[in-house]
Amino acid sequence: MTPASGSPRGAAVDPEADAPVRAVGLPAAGAALCLGLVAVVVAGLLTGLSTPGEIADPGALTRWGLPIARFVHHLAMATAVSAVLLAAAAIPARVGPRGRRRRGQDGAEHPVFSAVLRIAGTASVVWTVAAIAVLVLTFSDISGQPISGESSFNEGFLGYIESIATGQAWATVTAIAALFTMLVFAVRSTPGLFVLSGLGLAGIVPIALVGHSSSGDDHIAAVNSLGLHLLGVVVWVGGLAVLLLLAPVLRDQTRRLAARDQGGPELVGTLLRRYSTIAGLAIVLVAASGVVNAELRIFAWDQLITTPYGLMISLKAAAVLALAGIGWMHRSWIIPRLVGAHAGPAARRGAGPSDDGAAADQRGVTGLLWQLVAVEVAIMAAVVGVSTVLGRTAPPVSEDLPPGASPARIITGYDLPPAPELANYFTLWRLDWLWVFLAVGLAVWYWASVVRLRRRGDSWPIVRGISFVLGLLTLVWVTSGGASIYGLVLFSGHMIQHMTLTMVVPIFLVMGSPVTLALRVLPVRADGTRGTREWILWLVHSRFSRIVTHPVVAAANFAGSLVIFYYTAVFGLALEYHLGHLIMTVHFLLTGYIFALVMVGQDPLPKRPPHPLRLLMLLATMAFHAFLAVSLSGSESLLQAGWFGNMGYDWGFSALEDQQRGGELMWGIGEIPTMLLAVIAAIQWSRDDDRQMRREDREAERTDDAALREYNEMFVRMAENDPHRPKGPRG
């Protein structure tokens, strides 16, 4: 048996078993990069990149350099971000037992952890340089000017960054990449790496905002589905690229641990198992969001093979299916055999010559594993190469505004809906795929967790599950139904959307106790890494959580956000910009969730406020809502008049009258849920008092009222020692 398969110390290395591992790493990564560049060239030739522009041609350097720079950018970004994610969630930072590290006796930095951060640092530098190249080449492509050092080019470039959305987006990506690069060489703590990975993923947002999305028939669906698509690609492609580059380090570390009889192959198996879980979710995300994107830009099946755009979509779909098949092989066959063949030191010490066949099988599995990883990365690189050209190819469906577009279409990007009758709020739908995917994913996870609990004999109240699903269904309606559609054109529709997000959805979600369910179901990690359960506990007990869940802070944030939002420029930004609208939705959903959690939630908190304080905060919130609602309903000044006053509808009421109606809706939708929260808080107070009384009664029964007797005896002693107590009988 070779050291790579768990042999005793001093065993010889089998060159045949080691060959597949030596073939991966940098050589395989270089081959995959070359294959991706070939895909860029082939796709570029099919779509006419070699043909100069008829009106203004930026030159061959820009025509070919831009897709190549984007290809390098996407791969480098995915590798850098995924490396940090793996370091934060899947790889131990230190060598040694976890308990010893908790007591402050830190061991040396884990070799795999160090290697993955070196990969992240190198990839982040490439990411930054590639982002700068894309920024410059994109301007050259849009302006039709070849790259030069002339003043006209430089002045135009500065204007491009300052005033053009594409320039602003790529300048933002460049800044994110540069900041990420600086921090990745300095941060070593697991929480810091977790935050840093969030910064890296934020680079997806500007790219999604300037993709094929700004002027289409459904730009919200296009932007959100593209963002989800990029998120899946970054995690999937980048994670696999990191594993490929880590192969030599994993081989060496496995051999060292195996030589010490410490279960070396489990390191590889555990890492692959954790990555395969993330990759499985990413595959679903990439496939589903890709279908949504294709449906928005292709209106006939034959366009999948008769147009360059459709042909590349078809090639991408075939590649994703092939990659999903390889991933299924990893998950269902290779990883179980890789880990199962090494049951532990005790099993290996009792092994005999008959295990030679198992060792040979293990070597074969290991070789096949790394060969498949190399093939996956090569296919992925080719797909990314095709995608970079796809982003520069005009889709069959035009994304320009139609002639004679209505004012509502010009302002919002959508045609004016029918008159706002009550039925239309429940029959009109425009799916926002970001929230649809989130709701479906959370619902599936929640009920799968409930089933898992019940199978192991634990109970979970069904009413909690029903409440959580109702919250998710309400979230989908408020982001994809009539409230979302009318929220773009009417202040009253916006108020229905806003108050439902803040007051209704959070109550249902909080009563479902998802955090408690997660802590009961998710496995505990003992290898020093932080999984989902460990991150939840870290967040619950963090200083940030102690601040935002303080009852005064939660109530002030809940109520004060309304004033800041509606009476500053923030309201206009949320209406005009898709990112602003998304941030608004997330903010008010989280604000309402934290407020409801503090007031009536059962999930763990750093410190739960006493019941009287909860009721006091709820009453104060009701009074504030009422004051603000009365102010809006009686206002004679139209908020965001440039938006709501120019929709061009003729439904029998003015924009100002609609705003006053919105103030009334704010009062009604806000006060009823707040009153419900107060009732729930009062019931919980009563139940807590009953439980406390039962505990005291049980304690009294056990001690035969010892506490009460001691209490009465204390008063007797006080009376006897009172100097003013009368002496003898009165008379």
Side-chain angles (χ1 to χ4, degrees):
M1 298 172 69
T2 67
S5 61
S7 67
R9 188 177 307 173
V13 178
D14 185 352
E16 291 187 13
D18 237 13
V21 184
R22 288 198 303 270
V24 297
L26 284 176
L33 182 64
C34 292
L35 182 60
L37 292 175
V38 170
V40 171
V41 173
V42 173
L45 292 174
L46 290 175
T47 56
L49 280 183
S50 59
T51 304
E54 297 181 359
I55 299 176
D57 179 42
L61 175 61
T62 297
R63 290 199 310 271
W64 289 103
L66 181 55
I68 292 174
R70 288 174 66 97
F71 166 73
V72 175
H73 171 275
H74 294 344
L75 280 186
M77 175 186 178
T79 304
V81 176
S82 294
V84 173
L85 272 173
L86 287 174
I91 300 172
R94 297 286 175 182
V95 177
R98 186 178 182 183
R100 189 182 71 187
R101 292 196 298 273
R102 281 181 172 175
R103 293 190 296 268
Q105 302 172 3
D106 289 351
E109 191 170 81
H110 200 289
V112 179
F113 183 84
S114 302
V116 80
L117 288 184
R118 286 197 299 270
I119 293 172
T122 304
S124 64
V125 172
V126 177
W127 176 20
T128 304
V129 175
I132 297 172
V134 172
L135 177 63
V136 176
L137 290 168
T138 303
F139 168 70
S140 174
D141 181 62
I142 292 176
S143 65
Q145 302 180 55
I147 296 177
S148 68
E150 297 179 0
S151 59
S152 59
F153 184 90
N154 296 333
E155 292 173 1
F157 179 68
L158 292 176
Y160 166 72
I161 295 176
E162 293 173 354
S163 57
I164 305 299
T166 305
Q168 294 169 343
W170 280 104
T172 303
V173 173
T174 303
I176 291 174
L179 181 59
F180 184 95
T181 302
M182 288 188 294
L183 293 176
V184 78
F185 289 102
V187 176
R188 280 296 184 271
S189 68
T190 304
L193 291 172
F194 182 74
V195 175
L196 183 59
S197 65
L199 173 65
L201 290 174
I204 293 173
V205 177
I207 300 174
L209 291 174
V210 295
H212 283 303
S213 57
S214 58
S215 307
D217 284 336
D218 195 351
H219 66 278
I220 291 179
V223 169
N224 286 350
S225 60
L226 180 57
L228 291 171
H229 193 73
L230 292 173
L231 174 62
V233 169
V234 165
V235 174
W236 186 15
V237 177
L240 204 61
V242 172
L243 289 178
L244 183 66
L245 294 171
L246 275 178
V249 179
L250 290 173
R251 175 201 60 186
D252 295 340
Q253 186 67 11
T254 298
R255 290 169 60 183
R256 289 195 193 97
L257 293 176
R260 300 174 195 160
D261 207 20
Q262 294 177 359
E266 283 84 346
L267 175 69
V268 179
T270 301
L271 181 58
L272 290 174
R273 187 167 55 247
R274 290 171 181 171
Y275 166 74
S276 67
T277 301
I278 299 173
L281 298 175
I283 290 172
V284 174
L285 196 60
V286 168
S289 58
V291 170
V292 172
N293 266 279
E295 191 272 336
L296 291 173
R297 301 181 182 107
I298 292 178
F299 57 86
W301 285 101
D302 63 309
Q303 291 179 341
L304 289 173
I305 57 175
T306 59
T307 63
Y309 192 92
L311 183 60
M312 285 188 284
I313 289 287
S314 301
L315 292 174
K316 284 184 61 178
V320 168
L321 291 175
L323 291 169
I326 297 175
W328 178 83
M329 289 180 61
H330 283 312
R331 183 74 178 176
S332 63
W333 186 73
I334 293 179
I335 296 176
R337 282 164 176 76
L338 184 67
V339 178
H342 298 268
R348 287 194 299 273
R349 279 193 294 269
S354 61
D355 283 338
D356 289 342
D361 178 68
Q362 180 66 21
R363 290 195 296 270
V365 170
T366 303
L368 179 60
L369 164 70
W370 292 116
Q371 289 168 359
L372 286 177
V373 168
V375 170
E376 278 187 280
V377 174
I379 296 175
M380 287 178 175
V383 172
V384 173
V386 171
S387 299
T388 58
V389 178
L390 184 66
R392 292 172 43 80
T393 305
V397 175
S398 174
E399 296 186 330
D400 296 328
L401 284 172
S406 65
R409 178 64 182 270
I410 295 173
I411 295 174
T412 68
Y414 297 95
D415 291 324
L416 196 67
E421 300 176 358
L422 179 61
N424 289 337
Y425 272 87
F426 298 95
T427 57
L428 295 179
W429 290 86
R430 185 189 297 139
L431 294 181
D432 188 330
W433 292 103
L434 174 64
W435 299 106
V436 170
F437 287 157
L438 179 64
V440 171
L442 287 176
V444 170
W445 166 81
Y446 192 98
W447 281 102
S449 300
V450 172
V451 171
R452 188 180 307 170
L453 271 182
R454 290 183 172 272
R455 283 179 177 174
R456 74 185 191 193
D458 296 335
S459 62
W460 186 261
I462 295 298
V463 67
R464 290 187 181 181
I466 295 174
S467 175
F468 192 75
V469 171
L470 285 176
L472 294 176
L473 290 174
T474 308
L475 176 62
V476 171
W477 173 76
V478 81
T479 55
S480 301
S484 175
I485 293 173
Y486 286 106
L488 283 176
V489 298
L490 293 174
F491 183 86
S492 59
H494 167 82
M495 188 56 68
I496 292 174
Q497 183 185 27
H498 179 177
M499 298 309 296
T500 305
L501 272 173
T502 307
M503 300 298 303
V504 180
V505 175
I507 296 177
F508 287 118
L509 296 180
V510 164
M511 298 306 293
S513 301
V515 175
T516 301
L517 178 62
L519 293 177
R520 292 182 62 181
V521 170
L522 293 172
V524 179
R525 291 192 180 180
D527 62 349
T529 61
R530 290 186 179 182
T532 305
R533 188 179 189 278
E534 287 74 22
W535 282 116
I536 291 175
L537 289 173
W538 172 79
L539 181 61
V540 167
H541 298 292
S542 66
R543 181 178 300 177
F544 172 79
S545 180
R546 289 196 296 271
I547 294 174
V548 299
T549 60
H550 190 282
V552 176
V553 175
N557 189 22
F558 181 72
S561 296
L562 297 174
V563 177
I564 296 174
F565 181 76
Y566 285 110
Y567 291 100
T568 66
V570 176
F571 189 17
L573 295 175
L575 291 171
E576 185 175 355
Y577 297 103
H578 175 74
L579 182 59
H581 180 78
L582 180 61
I583 293 174
M584 177 207 75
T585 303
V586 173
H587 171 76
F588 284 113
L589 181 62
L590 289 179
T591 299
Y593 185 89
I594 293 172
F595 183 74
L597 177 63
V598 172
M599 297 300 142
V600 300
Q602 300 298 313
D603 283 333
L605 287 175
K607 184 178 181 181
R608 196 167 296 278
H611 292 287
L613 181 58
R614 298 188 212 179
L615 288 177
L616 179 62
M617 291 298 175
L618 285 169
L619 293 175
T621 302
M622 290 176 63
F624 182 84
H625 266 181
F627 173 79
L628 188 59
V630 169
S631 175
L632 282 173
S633 60
S635 175
E636 296 296 329
S637 175
L638 180 62
L639 298 177
Q640 297 301 319
W643 185 276
F644 292 113
N646 291 317
M647 288 298 164
Y649 59 79
D650 186 14
W651 292 331
F653 54 85
S654 66
L656 183 58
E657 291 171 337
D658 178 69
Q659 178 177 295
Q660 293 169 348
R661 183 187 305 169
E664 297 169 358
L665 289 169
M666 180 183 183
W667 194 350
I669 300 176
E671 298 304 291
I672 294 175
T674 308
M675 182 62 71
L676 177 61
L677 285 175
V679 171
I680 296 174
I683 293 174
Q684 290 178 347
W685 189 357
S686 175
R687 289 180 176 177
D688 285 349
D689 283 349
D690 289 342
R691 284 192 290 268
Q692 180 64 27
M693 290 177 61
R694 287 194 294 270
R695 283 195 295 268
E696 291 176 355
D697 290 341
R698 289 194 297 269
E699 179 67 19
E701 291 176 359
R702 284 195 301 268
T703 61
D704 193 22
D705 284 333
L708 180 60
R709 289 200 307 272
E710 183 179 353
Y711 187 68
N712 291 333
E713 291 172 359
M714 178 188 69
F715 280 106
V716 171
R717 290 193 298 271
M718 291 174 62
E720 292 175 350
N721 296 328
D722 186 358
H724 302 289
R725 185 169 66 91
K727 305 289 186 181
R730 294 181 182 180

